[in-house]
Amino acid sequence: MPPKSSSARGGGRGRGRGRGGKAGSQQPLPPKQAVAKGSNGEVDNIESLANTRWLGDNSNKFSDSLVVDIMRTYIAGQQNARSNLQSLERYQYFEQYLWPGFTSTTDDSLVSDTHIMSILLMINEKHQQGVISTVWKTIDCSGSFARLFDRAAKLALDIYSGKKELSLVDAVSARSVVVQFLIMCFGSLETEFIRTACMPLVSLALWENIDDTRVLVEA
């Protein structure tokens, strides 16, 4: 069998250089891929943050700026947002930080929309993981669910009407988060404190303010 020509032998190398430049060189990853490659580092950062700020004897005073930083760094617009939410759930971000921070004040003007969205995200994540019962136990002890539900309902109305835009979460994502939370609540009416919070939104008194034509359609 006659030997292959040198051009045939070198063809594969020439094509490789044509695609990737110099032989053996690696092109830098785009920013989004770089984030994906660094997912293990993000988990380590979340673990370190949890151990420093809210777990064990290292719990510190609640800071809304930290909630904003966590939303910006690990959740909003991040490719690994779901895995980061799972890590935050594993390190009890809701139980040990978000919820105590919410119940520690009765002045809702001091509770930011980012704080509320973070709570809803964590509750939705727990629901998806099938551990929502742990949330209800945590909330039931504080008696603050009605406050959270009211804030979520008002946030939904403001987002849908365009009265409010969240700086860290786009409108579509925010609507999805709030709607998932409300659907979950109306699917959990067997829980007394949830039923108490939800019923005013579907009470018979609401029908008095509905157009007669609409009543006939809905009846």
Side-chain angles (χ1 to χ4, degrees), residues 192-205:
E192 184 177 358
F193 66 86
I194 298 177
R195 184 169 62 252
T196 300
C198 292
M199 284 299 96
L201 294 184
V202 292
S203 65
L204 292 176

Side-chain angles (χ1 to χ4, degrees), residues 100-119:
F102 178 74
T103 58
S104 64
T105 176
T106 57
D107 186 352
D108 278 345
S109 66
L110 300 178
V111 182
S112 69
D113 290 334
T114 300
H115 188 173
I116 296 298
M117 285 298 299
S118 298
I119 290 176

Side-chain angles (χ1 to χ4, degrees), residues 42 45-54 62-78 80-82 84-89 91-94 96-98 114-115 117-119 121-122 168-169:
E42 289 181 353
N45 290 340
I46 291 173
E47 179 181 9
S48 176
L49 194 61
N51 289 328
T52 302
R53 298 305 299 265
W54 63 78
F62 178 82
S63 170
D64 190 71
S65 62
L66 177 61
V67 175
V68 172
D69 287 343
I70 289 175
M71 176 69 81
R72 178 185 295 112
T73 305
Y74 300 107
I75 303 174
Q78 299 300 319
N80 293 320
R82 179 66 197 281
N84 290 337
L85 282 171
Q86 292 171 346
S87 297
L88 288 165
E89 191 280 324
Y91 291 109
Q92 300 183 312
Y93 182 44
F94 169 78
Q96 299 297 329
Y97 201 71
L98 291 175
T114 300
H115 188 173
M117 285 298 299
S118 298
I119 290 176
L121 279 164
M122 295 310 303
L168 295 178
V169 184

Side-chain angles (χ1 to χ4, degrees), residues 40-209:
N40 290 335
E42 289 181 353
V43 172
D44 292 341
N45 290 340
I46 291 173
E47 179 181 9
S48 176
L49 194 61
N51 289 328
T52 302
R53 298 305 299 265
W54 63 78
L55 290 181
D57 297 331
N58 295 320
S59 58
N60 293 310
K61 185 178 180 180
F62 178 82
S63 170
D64 190 71
S65 62
L66 177 61
V67 175
V68 172
D69 287 343
I70 289 175
M71 176 69 81
R72 178 185 295 112
T73 305
Y74 300 107
I75 303 174
Q78 299 300 319
Q79 190 177 33
N80 293 320
R82 179 66 197 281
S83 62
N84 290 337
L85 282 171
Q86 292 171 346
S87 297
L88 288 165
E89 191 280 324
R90 185 164 59 251
Y91 291 109
Q92 300 183 312
Y93 182 44
F94 169 78
E95 295 90 341
Q96 299 297 329
Y97 201 71
L98 291 175
W99 192 245
F102 178 74
T103 58
S104 64
T105 176
T106 57
D107 186 352
D108 278 345
S109 66
L110 300 178
V111 182
S112 69
D113 290 334
T114 300
H115 188 173
I116 296 298
M117 285 298 299
S118 298
I119 290 176
L120 301 188
L121 279 164
M122 295 310 303
I123 292 178
N124 290 349
E125 177 59 34
K126 285 178 175 292
H127 181 254
Q128 291 184 32
Q129 293 188 25
V131 292
I132 192 62
S133 60
T134 63
V135 173
W136 301 150
K137 289 178 182 177
T138 300
I139 291 178
D140 192 24
C141 295
S142 68
S144 298
F145 180 78
R147 283 180 56 214
L148 174 66
F149 186 85
D150 286 346
R151 280 294 298 270
K154 291 176 182 176
L155 194 58
L157 291 174
D158 288 343
I159 293 172
Y160 271 92
S161 65
K163 291 181 180 179
K164 181 171 290 187
E165 293 184 3
L166 303 182
S167 58
L168 295 178
V169 184
D170 64 83
V172 174
S173 298
R175 286 197 297 267
S176 176
V177 171
V178 176
V179 168
Q180 285 180 43
F181 171 76
L182 294 176
I183 290 173
M184 181 186 59
C185 289
F186 280 98
S188 304
L189 295 179
E190 70 280 0
T191 304
E192 184 177 358
F193 66 86
I194 298 177
R195 184 169 62 252
T196 300
C198 292
M199 284 299 96
L201 294 184
V202 292
S203 65
L204 292 176
L206 291 177
W207 293 90
E208 296 178 358
N209 299 315

